[in-house]
Amino acid sequence: EDKVVQSPLSLVVHEGDTVTLNCSYEVTNFRSLLWYKQEKKAPTFLFMLTSSGIEKKSGRLSSILDKKELSSILNITATQTGDSAIYLCVNRDDKIIFGKGTRLHILP
Amino acid sequence: NAGVTQTPKFQVLKTGQSMTLQCAQDMNHNSMYWYRQDPGMGLRLIYYSASEGTTDKGEVPNGYNVSRLNKREFSLRLESAAPSQTSVYFCASLRDFRSYEQYFGPGTRLTVT
């Protein structure tokens, strides 16, 4: 059965800290792995990683895909209170499978 | 562009009542999806429509029906609501079934008492 597992499920850090969120996947036919940020309402797209694009960066956020380990990490450096959200990892092959998310809370 | 819109934003139902959640997108996307999100459970796929005229079951379809009314609209119906269907419901669209980035609506918070 295809699945996506995220860890930790929740994390509380202080503003300015660096955090690493983890996502591991077991899927039949890997095509892509996506990261979304969900604040109060709908998820918004952050990154997409594929076999031909295993590292992405945008400002303080970056993500890497490890095809051997079947995992991905999302790094956020110099965290700010606005980074508080649920971060969702999604596998996209023939199906779309969401992980349960990591709830990140940044203390001022 | 409004993107993906959903109505209503909030709804309270009594057990056994029925209702339809509406979703529309104005991006000319082919594929549309209905998810539910429960605390600690992530998003789970209820039904999806890969293209106009087709619908398929997702991970948790029991108790729901869908209609892909046209390319823009994809509705979700609860025929006889149960407390276990209390959740936040998200509609999403995808340019086509081979695309990657989904666009989500703002969600409908449904409470069944």
Side-chain angles (χ1 to χ4, degrees):
Chain A
E1 181 184 322
D2 295 349
K3 60 181 180 180
V4 175
V5 178
Q6 291 186 245
S7 63
L9 290 180
S10 68
L11 186 58
V12 180
V13 299
H14 285 95
E15 206 168 19
D17 288 350
T18 293
V19 297
T20 299
L21 310 183
N22 300 285
C23 175
S24 65
Y25 57 91
E26 294 177 23
V27 296
T28 309
N29 296 303
F30 177 79
R31 285 176 57 203
S32 65
L33 187 138
L34 293 84
W35 284 95
Y36 284 84
K37 178 182 182 183
Q38 184 178 22
E39 294 176 87
K40 292 188 178 173
K41 289 193 174 176
T44 54
F45 175 77
L46 291 175
F47 297 118
M48 182 183 75
L49 303 161
T50 66
S51 297
S52 57
I54 61 172
E55 189 165 353
K56 295 285 174 74
K57 184 174 169 60
S58 175
R60 297 177 295 102
L61 277 68
S62 62
S63 184
I64 298 173
L65 179 71
D66 187 331
K67 290 182 288 182
K68 276 189 186 173
E69 296 296 325
L70 304 183
S71 65
S72 174
I73 60 170
L74 176 68
N75 274 327
I76 309 176
T77 60
T79 51
Q80 302 170 358
T81 54
D83 296 326
S84 294
I86 298 173
Y87 290 84
L88 298 166
C89 174
V90 187
N91 176 260
R92 173 81 171 102
D93 55 10
D94 293 333
K95 298 179 246 182
I96 299 175
I97 303 170
F98 280 78
K100 293 184 179 181
T102 293
R103 184 179 293 273
L104 176 64
H105 185 63
I106 311 296
L107 298 169
Chain B
N1 278 355
V4 181
T5 56
Q6 289 182 236
T7 56
K9 289 196 169 85
F10 301 95
Q11 183 72 49
V12 178
L13 290 179
K14 292 196 166 122
T15 297
Q17 287 186 314
S18 62
M19 78 161 295
T20 299
L21 280 64
Q22 307 286 355
C23 173
Q25 50 89 12
D26 62 0
M27 297 173 283
N28 202 35
H29 284 177
N30 286 308
S31 301
M32 297 183 75
Y33 301 78
W34 275 106
Y35 293 92
R36 60 178 287 174
Q37 186 174 34
D38 304 303
M41 292 295 290
L43 274 80
R44 291 184 292 168
L45 182 63
I46 305 171
Y47 270 94
Y48 66 98
S49 170
S51 61
E52 187 180 356
T54 70
T55 60
D56 283 291
K57 294 178 181 178
E59 183 186 354
V60 288
N62 290 347
Y64 305 95
N65 283 302
V66 290
S67 294
R68 183 76 183 265
L69 304 167
N70 47 54
K71 192 170 185 180
R72 289 188 64 247
E73 297 170 290
F74 187 39
S75 62
L76 178 72
R77 181 157 179 87
L78 286 71
E79 290 292 351
S80 179
S84 61
Q85 293 177 304
T86 293
S87 189
V88 180
Y89 291 85
F90 288 101
C91 176
S93 71
L94 204 58
R95 180 165 51 85
D96 57 56
F97 204 58
R98 293 191 175 279
S99 302
Y100 298 99
E101 181 185 349
Q102 286 185 304
Y103 294 80
F104 286 84
T108 295
R109 185 174 292 278
L110 175 68
T111 301
V112 183
T113 60

